[in-house]
Amino acid sequence: MSITTVPVGLLDFEVYLPERFVTSAEIAELTRIPEPVIREKFGVTRKPVGGPEDHCVAMAVKAARRLLERTGVRPDEIDLIIYPGEEWKEYLLWTGGIKIQKELGALRCWSFDLPYRCAAASLALKVAKDLMQVNPDLQTVLIAGGNTNAYAVNYQDPNSSFMFDMGPSGHAALLKRGVERNQILGSGIHTEPLLVDDVIVPLGGTRVPITPENAGKGQYLEITDPEHMKSELGARSFPAFIRACDLALADSGLDRRDIGFFGMIHVKRSAHDAIVAELGLRPDQAVYLQDYGHLGHTDPYLCLKLGLESGQLKPGMNALLLGAGTGYAFTASVIRWG
């Protein structure tokens, strides 16, 4: 069976951030790590912290409401809602996408969750585009997600220091079938299963259920084998990041020379600069999220926002977006802007 290629465009997107931020000095005081290390090595000058209403799905709803209001798209025009948000959300065993559907009053559509840690942004774009390609009934798709994994970070655990840059956020994006503007092109996904058990929350699953005796113990993200994590992640992450980029470019019929703008999740400054250099890009073709930290799967959308505001992202450019999440998954998307 042949499948007709139909363009899918990014109509618009929205980023929600909590109002309150903490500075590198405050992070240093909390973690007992010198502030110059937080600023220069970790690459964080400040990051947001959530308020009492900044929950995972709630932030996705806030971003989605802003987006619908700005674009004029009515809730009853939405055909599908995808929630590429975290499982660490308001309630366990609860579907965030259907909650977003209820809160927006989008009662005509259907919805599902697509958790993939901090690699979910590109996966959601791929899944949405692929579904829209083969189903003409899907004319308008809303992607709306949130991340509150920062609430599960133990800042007193030095083995968790690579997560000290994390902050809460929400995001939303509207995709339209048959639209060439801001066209979603190819995607690339690569996984490293040897790292799948290295970062977990020990308490609360079926293996170690919550009981009166262990309540409050083991509720944070933990590194199960710090030495394995350090050696394997260091050796595998850089080539995995690059592989996801090259897969997305090839899927788009492009190569590294065609990249006009680059945005990726927040990582330490040296790793970011090394990836930019490996891709053959100039520093001014990329944005670095030192004033925000790592906001999960919102990072690529925040990069788009900052690139548009700074003028780095211009019509006609191919924007390469890169994400990664514990597990470990590495994902990339290409959007032909304008």
Side-chain angles (χ1 to χ4, degrees):
M1 181 183 75
S2 62
I3 298 175
T4 302
T5 300
V6 178
V8 173
L10 177 62
L11 181 65
D12 204 350
F13 67 94
E14 180 63 57
V15 169
Y16 170 83
L17 301 180
E19 294 182 358
R20 181 170 170 255
F21 280 68
V22 292
T23 65
S24 56
E26 292 173 288
I27 299 171
E29 183 177 357
L30 178 64
T31 62
R32 299 181 181 178
I33 296 173
E35 184 185 1
V37 175
I38 299 293
R39 282 188 284 104
E40 296 163 18
K41 183 176 180 180
F42 287 38
V44 180
T45 60
R46 64 169 197 161
K47 69 171 188 174
V49 293
E53 300 303 319
D54 288 324
H55 304 289
C56 215
V57 177
M59 290 187 291
V61 171
K62 291 175 183 178
R65 281 177 172 157
R66 289 181 185 175
L67 180 59
L68 295 181
E69 181 178 356
R70 187 171 66 248
T71 59
V73 173
R74 302 187 312 273
D76 63 4
E77 294 180 83
I78 300 170
D79 301 304
L80 170 64
I81 296 174
I82 300 176
Y83 169 75
E86 269 304 336
E87 294 171 298
W88 187 263
K89 53 187 185 290
E90 285 89 326
Y91 306 106
L92 297 175
L93 308 178
W94 183 63
T95 307
I98 300 177
K99 175 64 172 177
I100 295 169
Q101 182 183 359
K102 176 188 175 184
E103 292 299 313
L104 297 180
L107 304 183
R108 188 183 63 82
C109 71
W110 56 288
S111 60
F112 64 88
D113 287 7
L114 195 70
Y116 206 43
R117 309 293 73 75
C118 302
S122 288
L123 179 61
L125 289 173
K126 172 179 171 54
V127 170
K129 178 190 171 184
D130 290 353
L131 286 172
M132 296 170 87
Q133 290 278 345
V134 299
N135 189 341
D137 292 335
L138 297 179
Q139 295 290 321
T140 304
V141 173
L142 172 67
I143 295 172
N147 191 301
T148 48
N149 281 5
Y151 303 164
V153 175
N154 181 2
Y155 292 93
Q156 309 308 311
D157 177 10
N159 291 323
S160 299
S161 62
F162 73 100
M163 296 185 283
F164 290 173
D165 62 341
M166 294 179 67
S169 68
H171 66 273
L174 276 168
L175 274 56
K176 294 287 288 185
R177 190 176 194 270
V179 172
E180 295 185 359
R181 181 174 177 270
N182 305 334
Q183 187 175 347
I184 311 299
L185 299 182
S187 60
I189 300 175
H190 175 76
T191 55
E192 288 288 346
L194 288 179
L195 297 162
V196 68
D197 296 317
D198 284 13
V199 184
I200 63 170
V201 177
L203 183 63
T206 57
R207 183 174 290 276
V208 186
I210 298 173
T211 66
E213 291 73 29
N214 66 16
K217 302 174 183 178
Q219 75 272 33
Y220 293 111
L221 285 160
E222 290 186 10
I223 314 305
T224 58
D225 187 341
E227 289 304 315
H228 179 264
M229 175 79 170
K230 183 177 180 180
S231 63
E232 292 294 334
L233 184 61
R236 294 175 181 274
S237 61
F238 182 82
F241 272 124
I242 299 302
R243 175 166 171 74
C245 291
D246 286 339
L247 287 171
L249 290 167
D251 194 38
S252 307
L254 306 171
D255 60 35
R256 298 180 188 180
R257 295 169 296 180
D258 297 309
I259 305 170
F261 174 81
F262 177 64
M264 69 173 292
I265 63 166
H266 183 271
V267 294
K268 63 182 181 179
R269 169 72 78 169
S270 60
H272 177 273
D273 292 348
I275 292 170
V276 170
E278 176 64 24
L279 292 173
L281 301 175
R282 303 184 309 272
D284 66 334
Q285 291 179 275
V287 295
Y288 185 64
L289 302 177
Q290 72 272 5
D291 293 329
Y292 302 90
H294 177 34
L295 308 179
H297 14 46
T298 299
D299 284 4
Y301 291 104
L302 181 56
C303 288
L304 284 178
K305 180 177 185 292
L306 297 175
L308 289 168
E309 290 174 351
S310 66
Q312 291 169 276
L313 177 55
K314 298 180 175 65
M317 283 186 174
N318 295 311
L320 175 63
L321 305 178
L322 178 60
T326 53
Y328 257 82
F330 301 82
T331 61
S333 297
V334 179
I335 302 176
R336 179 168 293 140
W337 201 257

